[in-house]
PDB file of all heavy atoms in Angstrom:
ATOM      1  N   LEU K 171      -0.375 -84.585  50.275  1.00  0.00           N
ATOM      2  CA  LEU K 171       0.708 -83.607  50.331  1.00  0.00           C
ATOM      3  C   LEU K 171       0.663 -82.846  49.014  1.00  0.00           C
ATOM      4  O   LEU K 171       0.848 -83.422  47.949  1.00  0.00           O
ATOM      5  CB  LEU K 171       2.067 -84.277  50.507  1.00  0.00           C
ATOM      6  CG  LEU K 171       3.277 -83.336  50.412  1.00  0.00           C
ATOM      7  CD1 LEU K 171       3.258 -82.292  51.544  1.00  0.00           C
ATOM      8  CD2 LEU K 171       4.568 -84.122  50.435  1.00  0.00           C
ATOM      9  N   GLY K 172       0.404 -81.548  49.104  1.00  0.00           N
ATOM     10  CA  GLY K 172       0.367 -80.705  47.920  1.00  0.00           C
ATOM     11  C   GLY K 172       1.558 -79.765  47.888  1.00  0.00           C
ATOM     12  O   GLY K 172       1.870 -79.135  48.888  1.00  0.00           O
ATOM     13  N   VAL K 173       2.212 -79.711  46.741  1.00  0.00           N
ATOM     14  CA  VAL K 173       3.312 -78.778  46.530  1.00  0.00           C
ATOM     15  C   VAL K 173       2.778 -77.695  45.603  1.00  0.00           C
ATOM     16  O   VAL K 173       2.361 -77.980  44.483  1.00  0.00           O
ATOM     17  CB  VAL K 173       4.537 -79.475  45.892  1.00  0.00           C
ATOM     18  CG1 VAL K 173       5.667 -78.481  45.682  1.00  0.00           C
ATOM     19  CG2 VAL K 173       4.990 -80.652  46.754  1.00  0.00           C
ATOM     20  N   VAL K 174       2.758 -76.455  46.092  1.00  0.00           N
ATOM     21  CA  VAL K 174       2.188 -75.347  45.349  1.00  0.00           C
ATOM     22  C   VAL K 174       3.290 -74.350  45.007  1.00  0.00           C
ATOM     23  O   VAL K 174       4.018 -73.890  45.882  1.00  0.00           O
ATOM     24  CB  VAL K 174       1.070 -74.660  46.167  1.00  0.00           C
ATOM     25  CG1 VAL K 174       0.579 -73.400  45.480  1.00  0.00           C
ATOM     26  CG2 VAL K 174      -0.080 -75.627  46.403  1.00  0.00           C
ATOM     27  N   ARG K 175       3.385 -74.035  43.722  1.00  0.00           N
ATOM     28  CA  ARG K 175       4.405 -73.079  43.253  1.00  0.00           C
ATOM     29  C   ARG K 175       3.704 -71.863  42.645  1.00  0.00           C
ATOM     30  O   ARG K 175       2.806 -72.002  41.823  1.00  0.00           O
ATOM     31  CB  ARG K 175       5.297 -73.742  42.220  1.00  0.00           C
ATOM     32  CG  ARG K 175       6.351 -72.809  41.646  1.00  0.00           C
ATOM     33  CD  ARG K 175       7.395 -73.555  40.874  1.00  0.00           C
ATOM     34  NE  ARG K 175       8.199 -74.316  41.824  1.00  0.00           N
ATOM     35  CZ  ARG K 175       9.070 -75.253  41.485  1.00  0.00           C
ATOM     36  NH1 ARG K 175       9.258 -75.531  40.224  1.00  0.00           N
ATOM     37  NH2 ARG K 175       9.759 -75.900  42.405  1.00  0.00           N
ATOM     38  N   ASP K 176       4.140 -70.687  43.057  1.00  0.00           N
ATOM     39  CA  ASP K 176       3.651 -69.430  42.497  1.00  0.00           C
ATOM     40  C   ASP K 176       4.282 -69.267  41.108  1.00  0.00           C
ATOM     41  O   ASP K 176       5.494 -69.191  40.988  1.00  0.00           O
ATOM     42  CB  ASP K 176       4.058 -68.263  43.416  1.00  0.00           C
ATOM     43  CG  ASP K 176       3.622 -66.900  42.907  1.00  0.00           C
ATOM     44  OD1 ASP K 176       3.078 -66.820  41.791  1.00  0.00           O
ATOM     45  OD2 ASP K 176       3.838 -65.919  43.632  1.00  0.00           O
ATOM     46  N   VAL K 177       3.447 -69.253  40.070  1.00  0.00           N
ATOM     47  CA  VAL K 177       3.969 -69.141  38.702  1.00  0.00           C
ATOM     48  C   VAL K 177       3.625 -67.778  38.095  1.00  0.00           C
ATOM     49  O   VAL K 177       3.559 -67.634  36.875  1.00  0.00           O
ATOM     50  CB  VAL K 177       3.467 -70.305  37.815  1.00  0.00           C
ATOM     51  CG1 VAL K 177       4.087 -71.619  38.256  1.00  0.00           C
ATOM     52  CG2 VAL K 177       1.955 -70.385  37.779  1.00  0.00           C
ATOM     53  N   THR K 178       3.433 -66.768  38.945  1.00  0.00           N
ATOM     54  CA  THR K 178       3.107 -65.429  38.471  1.00  0.00           C
ATOM     55  C   THR K 178       4.157 -64.932  37.483  1.00  0.00           C
ATOM     56  O   THR K 178       3.803 -64.398  36.414  1.00  0.00           O
ATOM     57  CB  THR K 178       3.001 -64.449  39.661  1.00  0.00           C
ATOM     58  OG1 THR K 178       2.012 -64.932  40.575  1.00  0.00           O
ATOM     59  CG2 THR K 178       2.620 -63.057  39.194  1.00  0.00           C
ATOM     60  N   ALA K 179       5.440 -65.071  37.793  1.00  0.00           N
ATOM     61  CA  ALA K 179       6.500 -64.578  36.907  1.00  0.00           C
ATOM     62  C   ALA K 179       6.455 -65.293  35.563  1.00  0.00           C
ATOM     63  O   ALA K 179       6.630 -64.643  34.510  1.00  0.00           O
ATOM     64  CB  ALA K 179       7.865 -64.769  37.567  1.00  0.00           C
ATOM     65  N   GLN K 180       6.198 -66.587  35.556  1.00  0.00           N
ATOM     66  CA  GLN K 180       6.132 -67.328  34.295  1.00  0.00           C
ATOM     67  C   GLN K 180       4.949 -66.854  33.456  1.00  0.00           C
ATOM     68  O   GLN K 180       5.065 -66.696  32.241  1.00  0.00           O
ATOM     69  CB  GLN K 180       5.995 -68.827  34.573  1.00  0.00           C
ATOM     70  CG  GLN K 180       7.202 -69.443  35.223  1.00  0.00           C
ATOM     71  CD  GLN K 180       6.957 -70.887  35.635  1.00  0.00           C
ATOM     72  OE1 GLN K 180       5.957 -71.492  35.265  1.00  0.00           O
ATOM     73  NE2 GLN K 180       7.871 -71.433  36.412  1.00  0.00           N
ATOM     74  N   VAL K 181       3.804 -66.658  34.115  1.00  0.00           N
ATOM     75  CA  VAL K 181       2.606 -66.213  33.395  1.00  0.00           C
ATOM     76  C   VAL K 181       2.841 -64.832  32.806  1.00  0.00           C
ATOM     77  O   VAL K 181       2.497 -64.564  31.640  1.00  0.00           O
ATOM     78  CB  VAL K 181       1.382 -66.227  34.326  1.00  0.00           C
ATOM     79  CG1 VAL K 181       0.196 -65.521  33.686  1.00  0.00           C
ATOM     80  CG2 VAL K 181       1.021 -67.663  34.694  1.00  0.00           C
ATOM     81  N   ARG K 182       3.453 -63.919  33.571  1.00  0.00           N
ATOM     82  CA  ARG K 182       3.741 -62.573  33.054  1.00  0.00           C
ATOM     83  C   ARG K 182       4.710 -62.632  31.877  1.00  0.00           C
ATOM     84  O   ARG K 182       4.544 -61.919  30.889  1.00  0.00           O
ATOM     85  CB  ARG K 182       4.297 -61.697  34.164  1.00  0.00           C
ATOM     86  CG  ARG K 182       3.239 -61.239  35.130  1.00  0.00           C
ATOM     87  CD  ARG K 182       3.793 -60.275  36.154  1.00  0.00           C
ATOM     88  NE  ARG K 182       2.767 -59.932  37.117  1.00  0.00           N
ATOM     89  CZ  ARG K 182       2.978 -59.633  38.372  1.00  0.00           C
ATOM     90  NH1 ARG K 182       4.219 -59.613  38.840  1.00  0.00           N
ATOM     91  NH2 ARG K 182       1.996 -59.338  39.191  1.00  0.00           N
ATOM     92  N   ALA K 183       5.740 -63.472  31.980  1.00  0.00           N
ATOM     93  CA  ALA K 183       6.704 -63.609  30.893  1.00  0.00           C
ATOM     94  C   ALA K 183       6.019 -64.131  29.634  1.00  0.00           C
ATOM     95  O   ALA K 183       6.287 -63.662  28.529  1.00  0.00           O
ATOM     96  CB  ALA K 183       7.842 -64.535  31.309  1.00  0.00           C
ATOM     97  N   LEU K 184       5.116 -65.099  29.790  1.00  0.00           N
ATOM     98  CA  LEU K 184       4.378 -65.639  28.649  1.00  0.00           C
ATOM     99  C   LEU K 184       3.485 -64.567  28.030  1.00  0.00           C
ATOM    100  O   LEU K 184       3.407 -64.448  26.801  1.00  0.00           O
ATOM    101  CB  LEU K 184       3.547 -66.850  29.089  1.00  0.00           C
ATOM    102  CG  LEU K 184       2.785 -67.578  27.999  1.00  0.00           C
ATOM    103  CD1 LEU K 184       3.729 -68.097  26.918  1.00  0.00           C
ATOM    104  CD2 LEU K 184       1.966 -68.712  28.572  1.00  0.00           C
ATOM    105  N   GLU K 185       2.818 -63.764  28.876  1.00  0.00           N
ATOM    106  CA  GLU K 185       1.970 -62.691  28.367  1.00  0.00           C
ATOM    107  C   GLU K 185       2.794 -61.671  27.587  1.00  0.00           C
ATOM    108  O   GLU K 185       2.372 -61.203  26.525  1.00  0.00           O
ATOM    109  CB  GLU K 185       1.235 -62.000  29.526  1.00  0.00           C
ATOM    110  CG  GLU K 185       0.124 -62.835  30.116  1.00  0.00           C
ATOM    111  CD  GLU K 185      -0.442 -62.255  31.403  1.00  0.00           C
ATOM    112  OE1 GLU K 185       0.117 -61.247  31.918  1.00  0.00           O
ATOM    113  OE2 GLU K 185      -1.443 -62.808  31.898  1.00  0.00           O
ATOM    114  N   MET K 186       3.992 -61.326  28.102  1.00  0.00           N
ATOM    115  CA  MET K 186       4.864 -60.384  27.394  1.00  0.00           C
ATOM    116  C   MET K 186       5.325 -60.963  26.062  1.00  0.00           C
ATOM    117  O   MET K 186       5.366 -60.263  25.048  1.00  0.00           O
ATOM    118  CB  MET K 186       6.081 -60.026  28.262  1.00  0.00           C
ATOM    119  CG  MET K 186       5.746 -59.081  29.395  1.00  0.00           C
ATOM    120  SD  MET K 186       7.173 -58.717  30.442  1.00  0.00           S
ATOM    121  CE  MET K 186       8.292 -57.980  29.284  1.00  0.00           C
ATOM    122  N   LEU K 187       5.648 -62.255  26.052  1.00  0.00           N
ATOM    123  CA  LEU K 187       6.064 -62.906  24.822  1.00  0.00           C
ATOM    124  C   LEU K 187       4.935 -62.891  23.804  1.00  0.00           C
ATOM    125  O   LEU K 187       5.152 -62.572  22.623  1.00  0.00           O
ATOM    126  CB  LEU K 187       6.512 -64.338  25.120  1.00  0.00           C
ATOM    127  CG  LEU K 187       6.964 -65.165  23.925  1.00  0.00           C
ATOM    128  CD1 LEU K 187       8.184 -64.519  23.260  1.00  0.00           C
ATOM    129  CD2 LEU K 187       7.278 -66.587  24.347  1.00  0.00           C
ATOM    130  N   GLU K 188       3.714 -63.206  24.247  1.00  0.00           N
ATOM    131  CA  GLU K 188       2.575 -63.193  23.346  1.00  0.00           C
ATOM    132  C   GLU K 188       2.332 -61.789  22.794  1.00  0.00           C
ATOM    133  O   GLU K 188       2.004 -61.614  21.613  1.00  0.00           O
ATOM    134  CB  GLU K 188       1.325 -63.707  24.060  1.00  0.00           C
ATOM    135  CG  GLU K 188       1.366 -65.203  24.312  1.00  0.00           C
ATOM    136  CD  GLU K 188       0.213 -65.692  25.186  1.00  0.00           C
ATOM    137  OE1 GLU K 188      -0.505 -64.848  25.774  1.00  0.00           O
ATOM    138  OE2 GLU K 188       0.055 -66.919  25.299  1.00  0.00           O
ATOM    139  N   GLN K 189       2.501 -60.764  23.646  1.00  0.00           N
ATOM    140  CA  GLN K 189       2.329 -59.388  23.222  1.00  0.00           C
ATOM    141  C   GLN K 189       3.381 -59.017  22.159  1.00  0.00           C
ATOM    142  O   GLN K 189       3.054 -58.389  21.146  1.00  0.00           O
ATOM    143  CB  GLN K 189       2.433 -58.449  24.416  1.00  0.00           C
ATOM    144  CG  GLN K 189       2.209 -56.989  24.081  1.00  0.00           C
ATOM    145  CD  GLN K 189       2.349 -56.097  25.309  1.00  0.00           C
ATOM    146  OE1 GLN K 189       2.602 -56.568  26.410  1.00  0.00           O
ATOM    147  NE2 GLN K 189       2.184 -54.808  25.099  1.00  0.00           N
ATOM    148  N   ARG K 190       4.615 -59.430  22.374  1.00  0.00           N
ATOM    149  CA  ARG K 190       5.672 -59.147  21.402  1.00  0.00           C
ATOM    150  C   ARG K 190       5.434 -59.861  20.081  1.00  0.00           C
ATOM    151  O   ARG K 190       5.682 -59.310  19.009  1.00  0.00           O
ATOM    152  CB  ARG K 190       7.041 -59.513  21.973  1.00  0.00           C
ATOM    153  CG  ARG K 190       7.493 -58.551  23.037  1.00  0.00           C
ATOM    154  CD  ARG K 190       8.863 -58.872  23.551  1.00  0.00           C
ATOM    155  NE  ARG K 190       9.234 -57.940  24.611  1.00  0.00           N
ATOM    156  CZ  ARG K 190      10.234 -58.111  25.422  1.00  0.00           C
ATOM    157  NH1 ARG K 190      10.986 -59.195  25.321  1.00  0.00           N
ATOM    158  NH2 ARG K 190      10.517 -57.223  26.347  1.00  0.00           N
ATOM    159  N   VAL K 191       4.979 -61.096  20.158  1.00  0.00           N
ATOM    160  CA  VAL K 191       4.665 -61.845  18.935  1.00  0.00           C
ATOM    161  C   VAL K 191       3.552 -61.132  18.180  1.00  0.00           C
ATOM    162  O   VAL K 191       3.612 -60.992  16.949  1.00  0.00           O
ATOM    163  CB  VAL K 191       4.280 -63.303  19.271  1.00  0.00           C
ATOM    164  CG1 VAL K 191       3.651 -63.993  18.070  1.00  0.00           C
ATOM    165  CG2 VAL K 191       5.498 -64.076  19.757  1.00  0.00           C
ATOM    166  N   GLU K 192       2.539 -60.660  18.907  1.00  0.00           N
ATOM    167  CA  GLU K 192       1.434 -59.945  18.273  1.00  0.00           C
ATOM    168  C   GLU K 192       1.930 -58.660  17.605  1.00  0.00           C
ATOM    169  O   GLU K 192       1.557 -58.348  16.463  1.00  0.00           O
ATOM    170  CB  GLU K 192       0.375 -59.617  19.331  1.00  0.00           C
ATOM    171  CG  GLU K 192      -0.910 -59.054  18.766  1.00  0.00           C
ATOM    172  CD  GLU K 192      -1.937 -58.814  19.854  1.00  0.00           C
ATOM    173  OE1 GLU K 192      -2.130 -59.710  20.701  1.00  0.00           O
ATOM    174  OE2 GLU K 192      -2.539 -57.725  19.848  1.00  0.00           O
ATOM    175  N   GLU K 193       2.798 -57.898  18.302  1.00  0.00           N
ATOM    176  CA  GLU K 193       3.354 -56.671  17.723  1.00  0.00           C
ATOM    177  C   GLU K 193       4.177 -56.986  16.484  1.00  0.00           C
ATOM    178  O   GLU K 193       4.069 -56.300  15.465  1.00  0.00           O
ATOM    179  CB  GLU K 193       4.220 -55.939  18.763  1.00  0.00           C
ATOM    180  CG  GLU K 193       3.429 -55.320  19.890  1.00  0.00           C
ATOM    181  CD  GLU K 193       4.307 -54.840  21.034  1.00  0.00           C
ATOM    182  OE1 GLU K 193       5.562 -54.976  20.943  1.00  0.00           O
ATOM    183  OE2 GLU K 193       3.753 -54.314  22.017  1.00  0.00           O
ATOM    184  N   ARG K 194       5.010 -58.019  16.565  1.00  0.00           N
ATOM    185  CA  ARG K 194       5.850 -58.412  15.428  1.00  0.00           C
ATOM    186  C   ARG K 194       4.992 -58.864  14.260  1.00  0.00           C
ATOM    187  O   ARG K 194       5.307 -58.557  13.099  1.00  0.00           O
ATOM    188  CB  ARG K 194       6.811 -59.522  15.867  1.00  0.00           C
ATOM    189  CG  ARG K 194       7.823 -59.880  14.856  1.00  0.00           C
ATOM    190  CD  ARG K 194       8.836 -58.769  14.680  1.00  0.00           C
ATOM    191  NE  ARG K 194       9.861 -59.211  13.744  1.00  0.00           N
ATOM    192  CZ  ARG K 194      10.410 -58.448  12.859  1.00  0.00           C
ATOM    193  NH1 ARG K 194      10.074 -57.191  12.774  1.00  0.00           N
ATOM    194  NH2 ARG K 194      11.325 -58.923  12.050  1.00  0.00           N
ATOM    195  N   THR K 195       3.920 -59.564  14.532  1.00  0.00           N
ATOM    196  CA  THR K 195       3.009 -60.007  13.476  1.00  0.00           C
ATOM    197  C   THR K 195       2.393 -58.812  12.768  1.00  0.00           C
ATOM    198  O   THR K 195       2.298 -58.793  11.535  1.00  0.00           O
ATOM    199  CB  THR K 195       1.915 -60.921  14.060  1.00  0.00           C
ATOM    200  OG1 THR K 195       2.537 -62.045  14.685  1.00  0.00           O
ATOM    201  CG2 THR K 195       0.960 -61.404  12.989  1.00  0.00           C
ATOM    202  N   ARG K 196       1.995 -57.790  13.537  1.00  0.00           N
ATOM    203  CA  ARG K 196       1.440 -56.580  12.921  1.00  0.00           C
ATOM    204  C   ARG K 196       2.487 -55.894  12.042  1.00  0.00           C
ATOM    205  O   ARG K 196       2.176 -55.454  10.927  1.00  0.00           O
ATOM    206  CB  ARG K 196       0.961 -55.608  14.007  1.00  0.00           C
ATOM    207  CG  ARG K 196      -0.425 -55.902  14.532  1.00  0.00           C
ATOM    208  CD  ARG K 196      -1.023 -54.712  15.284  1.00  0.00           C
ATOM    209  NE  ARG K 196      -0.179 -54.215  16.357  1.00  0.00           N
ATOM    210  CZ  ARG K 196      -0.227 -54.643  17.610  1.00  0.00           C
ATOM    211  NH1 ARG K 196      -1.096 -55.564  17.959  1.00  0.00           N
ATOM    212  NH2 ARG K 196       0.590 -54.144  18.531  1.00  0.00           N
ATOM    213  N   GLU K 197       3.723 -55.817  12.537  1.00  0.00           N
ATOM    214  CA  GLU K 197       4.793 -55.191  11.756  1.00  0.00           C
ATOM    215  C   GLU K 197       5.030 -55.956  10.464  1.00  0.00           C
ATOM    216  O   GLU K 197       5.160 -55.349   9.391  1.00  0.00           O
ATOM    217  CB  GLU K 197       6.083 -55.139  12.570  1.00  0.00           C
ATOM    218  CG  GLU K 197       6.046 -54.189  13.748  1.00  0.00           C
ATOM    219  CD  GLU K 197       7.240 -54.345  14.670  1.00  0.00           C
ATOM    220  OE1 GLU K 197       8.134 -55.178  14.381  1.00  0.00           O
ATOM    221  OE2 GLU K 197       7.286 -53.628  15.691  1.00  0.00           O
ATOM    222  N   LEU K 198       5.083 -57.279  10.558  1.00  0.00           N
ATOM    223  CA  LEU K 198       5.335 -58.088   9.364  1.00  0.00           C
ATOM    224  C   LEU K 198       4.161 -57.992   8.387  1.00  0.00           C
ATOM    225  O   LEU K 198       4.372 -57.978   7.162  1.00  0.00           O
ATOM    226  CB  LEU K 198       5.589 -59.545   9.754  1.00  0.00           C
ATOM    227  CG  LEU K 198       6.917 -59.794  10.478  1.00  0.00           C
ATOM    228  CD1 LEU K 198       6.996 -61.237  10.967  1.00  0.00           C
ATOM    229  CD2 LEU K 198       8.096 -59.477   9.578  1.00  0.00           C
ATOM    230  N   THR K 199       2.947 -57.926   8.899  1.00  0.00           N
ATOM    231  CA  THR K 199       1.777 -57.772   8.035  1.00  0.00           C
ATOM    232  C   THR K 199       1.838 -56.453   7.281  1.00  0.00           C
ATOM    233  O   THR K 199       1.557 -56.395   6.078  1.00  0.00           O
ATOM    234  CB  THR K 199       0.484 -57.864   8.879  1.00  0.00           C
ATOM    235  OG1 THR K 199       0.465 -59.112   9.555  1.00  0.00           O
ATOM    236  CG2 THR K 199      -0.761 -57.733   8.016  1.00  0.00           C
ATOM    237  N   THR K 200       2.218 -55.388   7.974  1.00  0.00           N
ATOM    238  CA  THR K 200       2.362 -54.082   7.333  1.00  0.00           C
ATOM    239  C   THR K 200       3.419 -54.133   6.246  1.00  0.00           C
ATOM    240  O   THR K 200       3.209 -53.643   5.132  1.00  0.00           O
ATOM    241  CB  THR K 200       2.723 -53.007   8.375  1.00  0.00           C
ATOM    242  OG1 THR K 200       1.696 -52.948   9.346  1.00  0.00           O
ATOM    243  CG2 THR K 200       2.896 -51.639   7.724  1.00  0.00           C
ATOM    244  N   LEU K 201       4.562 -54.744   6.534  1.00  0.00           N
ATOM    245  CA  LEU K 201       5.611 -54.872   5.539  1.00  0.00           C
ATOM    246  C   LEU K 201       5.165 -55.714   4.340  1.00  0.00           C
ATOM    247  O   LEU K 201       5.501 -55.406   3.188  1.00  0.00           O
ATOM    248  CB  LEU K 201       6.876 -55.468   6.153  1.00  0.00           C
ATOM    249  CG  LEU K 201       7.661 -54.556   7.090  1.00  0.00           C
ATOM    250  CD1 LEU K 201       8.780 -55.325   7.767  1.00  0.00           C
ATOM    251  CD2 LEU K 201       8.220 -53.363   6.335  1.00  0.00           C
ATOM    252  N   LEU K 202       4.384 -56.745   4.611  1.00  0.00           N
ATOM    253  CA  LEU K 202       3.870 -57.588   3.530  1.00  0.00           C
ATOM    254  C   LEU K 202       2.955 -56.779   2.620  1.00  0.00           C
ATOM    255  O   LEU K 202       3.053 -56.846   1.393  1.00  0.00           O
ATOM    256  CB  LEU K 202       3.137 -58.803   4.112  1.00  0.00           C
ATOM    257  CG  LEU K 202       2.526 -59.766   3.104  1.00  0.00           C
ATOM    258  CD1 LEU K 202       3.615 -60.367   2.227  1.00  0.00           C
ATOM    259  CD2 LEU K 202       1.745 -60.858   3.807  1.00  0.00           C
ATOM    260  N   HIS K 203       2.070 -55.985   3.204  1.00  0.00           N
ATOM    261  CA  HIS K 203       1.169 -55.147   2.405  1.00  0.00           C
ATOM    262  C   HIS K 203       1.976 -54.141   1.582  1.00  0.00           C
ATOM    263  O   HIS K 203       1.670 -53.901   0.405  1.00  0.00           O
ATOM    264  CB  HIS K 203       0.176 -54.413   3.312  1.00  0.00           C
ATOM    265  CG  HIS K 203      -0.886 -55.293   3.879  1.00  0.00           C
ATOM    266  ND1 HIS K 203      -1.670 -56.127   3.133  1.00  0.00           N
ATOM    267  CD2 HIS K 203      -1.293 -55.471   5.171  1.00  0.00           C
ATOM    268  CE1 HIS K 203      -2.515 -56.777   3.904  1.00  0.00           C
ATOM    269  NE2 HIS K 203      -2.303 -56.393   5.166  1.00  0.00           N
ATOM    270  N   LEU K 204       3.006 -53.563   2.177  1.00  0.00           N
ATOM    271  CA  LEU K 204       3.842 -52.614   1.459  1.00  0.00           C
ATOM    272  C   LEU K 204       4.573 -53.283   0.304  1.00  0.00           C
ATOM    273  O   LEU K 204       4.691 -52.717  -0.789  1.00  0.00           O
ATOM    274  CB  LEU K 204       4.839 -51.953   2.405  1.00  0.00           C
ATOM    275  CG  LEU K 204       4.259 -50.913   3.359  1.00  0.00           C
ATOM    276  CD1 LEU K 204       5.297 -50.500   4.382  1.00  0.00           C
ATOM    277  CD2 LEU K 204       3.772 -49.703   2.574  1.00  0.00           C
ATOM    278  N   SER K 205       5.100 -54.479   0.563  1.00  0.00           N
ATOM    279  CA  SER K 205       5.824 -55.177  -0.511  1.00  0.00           C
ATOM    280  C   SER K 205       4.900 -55.529  -1.661  1.00  0.00           C
ATOM    281  O   SER K 205       5.277 -55.451  -2.819  1.00  0.00           O
ATOM    282  CB  SER K 205       6.530 -56.418   0.030  1.00  0.00           C
ATOM    283  OG  SER K 205       5.596 -57.392   0.391  1.00  0.00           O
ATOM    284  N   ARG K 206       3.672 -55.903  -1.360  1.00  0.00           N
ATOM    285  CA  ARG K 206       2.689 -56.183  -2.421  1.00  0.00           C
ATOM    286  C   ARG K 206       2.417 -54.915  -3.236  1.00  0.00           C
ATOM    287  O   ARG K 206       2.304 -54.950  -4.452  1.00  0.00           O
ATOM    288  CB  ARG K 206       1.404 -56.722  -1.817  1.00  0.00           C
ATOM    289  CG  ARG K 206       1.501 -58.150  -1.377  1.00  0.00           C
ATOM    290  CD  ARG K 206       0.179 -58.656  -0.881  1.00  0.00           C
ATOM    291  NE  ARG K 206       0.323 -60.008  -0.361  1.00  0.00           N
ATOM    292  CZ  ARG K 206      -0.468 -60.533   0.538  1.00  0.00           C
ATOM    293  NH1 ARG K 206      -1.467 -59.830   1.038  1.00  0.00           N
ATOM    294  NH2 ARG K 206      -0.274 -61.761   0.945  1.00  0.00           N
ATOM    295  N   HIS K 207       2.297 -53.807  -2.511  1.00  0.00           N
ATOM    296  CA  HIS K 207       2.026 -52.551  -3.180  1.00  0.00           C
ATOM    297  C   HIS K 207       3.225 -52.148  -4.040  1.00  0.00           C
ATOM    298  O   HIS K 207       3.050 -51.600  -5.134  1.00  0.00           O
ATOM    299  CB  HIS K 207       1.700 -51.463  -2.154  1.00  0.00           C
ATOM    300  CG  HIS K 207       1.231 -50.188  -2.762  1.00  0.00           C
ATOM    301  ND1 HIS K 207       0.039 -50.102  -3.430  1.00  0.00           N
ATOM    302  CD2 HIS K 207       1.819 -48.967  -2.845  1.00  0.00           C
ATOM    303  CE1 HIS K 207      -0.111 -48.868  -3.881  1.00  0.00           C
ATOM    304  NE2 HIS K 207       0.969 -48.154  -3.530  1.00  0.00           N
ATOM    305  N   LEU K 208       4.432 -52.415  -3.536  1.00  0.00           N
ATOM    306  CA  LEU K 208       5.632 -52.090  -4.284  1.00  0.00           C
ATOM    307  C   LEU K 208       5.686 -52.829  -5.607  1.00  0.00           C
ATOM    308  O   LEU K 208       6.076 -52.259  -6.622  1.00  0.00           O
ATOM    309  CB  LEU K 208       6.875 -52.465  -3.470  1.00  0.00           C
ATOM    310  CG  LEU K 208       7.520 -51.392  -2.640  1.00  0.00           C
ATOM    311  CD1 LEU K 208       8.622 -51.979  -1.775  1.00  0.00           C
ATOM    312  CD2 LEU K 208       8.089 -50.300  -3.512  1.00  0.00           C
ATOM    313  N   THR K 209       5.332 -54.085  -5.579  1.00  0.00           N
ATOM    314  CA  THR K 209       5.384 -54.873  -6.811  1.00  0.00           C
ATOM    315  C   THR K 209       4.312 -54.459  -7.796  1.00  0.00           C
ATOM    316  O   THR K 209       4.434 -54.702  -8.985  1.00  0.00           O
ATOM    317  CB  THR K 209       5.226 -56.370  -6.507  1.00  0.00           C
ATOM    318  OG1 THR K 209       4.010 -56.591  -5.820  1.00  0.00           O
ATOM    319  CG2 THR K 209       6.391 -56.875  -5.696  1.00  0.00           C
ATOM    320  N   SER K 210       3.250 -53.825  -7.318  1.00  0.00           N
ATOM    321  CA  SER K 210       2.170 -53.445  -8.219  1.00  0.00           C
ATOM    322  C   SER K 210       2.335 -52.034  -8.793  1.00  0.00           C
ATOM    323  O   SER K 210       1.548 -51.614  -9.618  1.00  0.00           O
ATOM    324  CB  SER K 210       0.825 -53.568  -7.516  1.00  0.00           C
ATOM    325  OG  SER K 210       0.755 -52.601  -6.490  1.00  0.00           O
TER     326      SER K 210
END
Side-chain angles (χ1 to χ4, degrees):
L171 173 64
V173 180
V174 173
R175 178 167 290 169
D176 179 355
V177 291
T178 302
Q180 293 173 11
V181 169
R182 285 185 184 149
L184 184 59
E185 287 170 354
M186 286 178 60
L187 179 61
E188 288 172 349
Q189 182 181 0
R190 287 183 182 166
V191 167
E192 188 178 314
E193 290 169 1
R194 187 70 176 142
T195 301
R196 277 197 306 270
E197 291 170 1
L198 290 173
T199 302
T200 300
L201 288 173
L202 179 62
H203 287 308
L204 286 171
S205 69
R206 284 184 184 155
H207 188 67
L208 265 173
T209 57
S210 67

